[in-house]
Amino acid sequence: MLKTIAAFDRIGEENAFAVLARATQLAATGRDIINLGIGQPDFRTPDFIVEAAVKALRDGHHGYTPAVGILPLREAVAADLHKRFQVEVSPDAVMILPGGKPTMFMSILMFGEPGSDILYPDPGFPIYRSMIEFTGARPVPVPIREKNNFAFSADETLSLITKNTRLLILNSPANPTGGVTPKAEVDKLVAGLARFPDVAVMSDEIYDHMLYDGETHVCLLQYPSIRDRLIVLNGWSKTYAMTGWRMGYAIWPGKLYDHARKLAVNLHSCVNAATQYAGIAALTGPQDEITKMVAEFDARRKTVVAGLNRLPSVSCTTPKGAFYAFPNIQRTGWKAKPLAAALLEDSGVALIGGPDFGVLGEGYLRVSYANSTENILRALDRIGEFLNTRKAS
Ligand code: PLP
C-alpha cells in the first residue's frame, strides 16, 4: 500500500464542483437543469481581452515569464489599485498567480502548522478551512451572522484571537452570503489589531467590483497600520468573467513575497504568458462592459431576493455584494443539504447547501444569480412548487 502523508486525510474540497458535475450529468440525460450553483459569471470575457491574448500568442509570447509575472502587468495592477483606492503599491509587491486560490493556499501554508490558530469566516469559502486543516493548524471559525447582515463583527473577531493566532482571513464582499462589511466595522477591527502585532491578515477581495446600493469597496491596503502584515488576494476571475483563464494576483508584505516567489518557482513556474497580456488589457482597457455586467447582476439580485422572499417559509436578506443570495430556509423544516439535493434531483435546480460553507451555513442555501433573469424566474417557480408540494424529509 502506498502511504501518503496524513494531511491528505484532512484536506477538503469545494462542493460547488461536485454539484456542477451532477448537474452536467443530469443535463446530459436530457433533463432541463437550471444551474444556480456555480460561482462564475455567465458572461463571456470581453472581446478586447480575448484579442489581447490572441495578439500575444501571435507576437510570440510563448515562453516562460518571470515567476512573479511580467513587469507591465504588475505595474498595471499597482496603477489600478492606486486609481481605485489611492494606495501606493510597488509593482515589486505584486505577484501574478494562477487564480485567486493560490494566494490563500500559499498564505495558509506560510502560517499553518500544528499549534497555530487560523481564523476564517464561517460560513465562508470552503477552501480556507480545507487548507487550514491540511497544514495541521487549528481552524477557528469567525461567525458570520444574518442578524449582522452577514458582515464581520470586529469585536467578535478580536475576541477569538489568542496567543496562538497567526493568521486572520477576511472576505468582503463575501462568498457565500453576499455580505459586505461596513467601513466603520473594518476601522474598528484594524484599530483592535494594533493589540496583536504578530497576527497576519489575508484579505480576500476577489469580489471588490461587485457592490450594489451605493456601497464602495473598503480595500485593506488603505490601512497603513497593518500594511506590513497584510496579504491581499484578488484577480480577474469574477470581475472580467475570466474564471477559466486562471489568473489572479497577490500583494505580499516584506519577506512573504520571496516565500511566495519560491513556492511559485517550485509549483507552477509562472502564469501562462498570453493570459498575462490579456490581464494588462483588462486593467487598462475600457471598463464599460464591467459596469454593464455589474448592473445586470444588480437587476438579477433584486429579482432573486424578491422571488425568494415570496417563497413559502423562506426569507432572504438583501445581499450588498458578490453574486450570491443566502436565503434562510429554517422555517421550511428542511435541512439545507437534503433540500439542495432534492431540488436538483426532483426539480432540476442546482444550488448549494449552506453547510458546504461551514457549520453556521446550516439553515441556508447559496443561490448564485450568475444566470439569466429568465432562468432565475423559472428556478424560483420550481422551488416554490417543490416547497408547496413536498414535505421535509
Ligand atoms: N475567493 C473567493 C471568496 C471565491 O469565491 C473564489 C472563487 O469562487 C476564489 C477566491 C477563487 O478565485 P479563482 O477562481 O480566481 O481561483
Side-chain angles (χ1 to χ4, degrees):
M1 262 294 267
L2 298 179
K3 196 164 169 8
T4 54
I5 60 167
F8 285 98
D9 298 333
R10 301 191 300 264
I11 196 164
E13 301 191 55
E14 221 185 311
N15 202 35
F17 284 99
V19 172
L20 177 64
R22 180 65 186 145
T24 310
Q25 204 179 38
L26 289 173
T29 67
R31 293 271 310 272
D32 173 29
I33 304 295
I34 306 170
N35 196 339
L36 305 184
I38 194 73
Q40 69 177 338
D42 55 319
F43 302 102
R44 285 170 60 102
T45 306
D47 283 343
F48 72 93
I49 300 176
V50 175
E51 288 310 318
V54 172
K55 179 172 183 310
L57 286 172
R58 295 227 161 90
D59 289 348
H61 293 294
H62 300 166
Y64 293 124
T65 76
V68 295
I70 56 175
L71 181 59
L73 179 55
R74 290 186 287 114
E75 286 172 342
V77 168
D80 181 61
L81 290 168
H82 186 262
K83 187 171 81 194
R84 293 194 297 135
F85 307 117
Q86 299 76 51
V87 291
E88 298 297 332
V89 175
S90 161
D92 295 337
V94 179
M95 187 171 300
I96 309 304
L97 289 152
K101 269 183 182 169
T103 304
M104 63 186 81
F105 187 94
M106 290 180 173
S107 22
I108 295 169
L109 270 190
M110 285 180 204
F111 293 100
E113 63 183 344
S116 68
D117 285 2
I118 299 186
L119 271 55
Y120 70 101
D122 181 345
F125 192 56
I127 300 305
Y128 306 142
R129 185 181 174 111
S130 160
M131 273 306 297
I132 298 168
E133 304 246 30
F134 182 73
T135 63
R138 187 168 73 107
V140 180
V142 176
I144 304 296
R145 301 180 197 282
E146 182 180 6
K147 68 172 178 2
N148 205 16
N149 282 326
F150 297 119
F152 272 90
S153 148
D155 286 338
E156 193 165 14
T157 306
L158 292 165
S159 76
L160 293 167
I161 297 180
T162 67
K163 62 178 186 353
N164 297 327
T165 307
R166 304 278 283 279
L167 177 66
L168 163 63
I169 299 176
L170 302 173
N171 175 220
S172 174
N175 178 6
T177 59
V180 173
T181 302
K183 180 167 184 308
E185 207 61 24
V186 182
D187 288 350
K188 199 169 167 191
L189 179 66
V190 172
L193 284 172
R195 286 187 278 129
F196 306 103
D198 299 330
V199 175
V201 177
M202 199 273 284
S203 177
D204 181 342
E205 304 188 7
I206 197 110
Y207 295 101
D208 66 346
H209 279 81
M210 280 148 192
L211 283 164
Y212 315 106
D213 299 339
E215 290 284 337
T216 50
H217 181 61
V218 182
C219 175
L220 271 282
L221 291 165
Q222 291 164 314
Y223 294 87
S225 66
I226 53 164
R227 277 291 290 271
D228 61 347
R229 50 186 163 128
L230 172 70
I231 303 155
V232 172
L233 177 163
N234 210 327
W236 286 259
S237 297
K238 316 285 173 174
T239 308
Y240 297 98
M242 291 178 72
T243 49
W245 293 68
R246 305 312 302 140
M247 182 169 55
Y249 68 82
I251 313 298
W252 300 101
K255 71 174 185 188
L256 299 194
Y257 192 87
D258 211 46
H259 287 354
R261 183 189 62 74
K262 286 185 185 150
L263 282 174
V265 170
N266 277 270
L267 186 64
H268 59 266
S269 298
C270 64
V271 169
N272 171 303
T275 295
Q276 295 192 47
Y277 285 88
I280 300 176
L283 292 177
T284 58
Q287 301 294 301
D288 29 320
E289 289 198 51
I290 283 76
T291 314
K292 266 194 250 157
M293 266 192 271
V294 176
E296 176 62 25
F297 281 134
D298 190 12
R300 295 173 184 179
R301 175 182 70 112
K302 291 177 178 144
T303 305
V304 93
V305 171
L308 288 165
N309 278 312
R310 277 196 295 270
L311 294 176
S313 306
V314 174
S315 63
C316 184
T317 303
T318 303
K320 301 269 187 190
F323 40 67
Y324 308 108
F326 206 58
N328 183 324
I329 50 111
Q330 284 156 17
R331 284 183 298 116
T332 66
W334 283 87
K335 290 274 182 214
K337 287 192 57 127
L339 178 58
L343 282 169
L344 176 56
E345 300 298 328
D346 301 353
S347 304
V349 178
L351 19 76
I352 317 282
D356 284 333
F357 303 94
V359 289
L360 289 177
E362 185 53 270
Y364 299 87
L365 296 174
R366 189 190 76 171
V367 180
S368 159
Y369 47 89
N371 204 326
S372 66
T373 300
E374 187 198 340
N375 281 339
I376 291 169
L377 291 171
R378 287 170 58 226
L380 287 165
D381 279 348
R382 290 187 191 182
I383 302 171
E385 192 179 317
F386 179 97
L387 290 174
N388 278 321
T389 52
R390 287 279 301 270
K391 287 263 161 301
S393 64

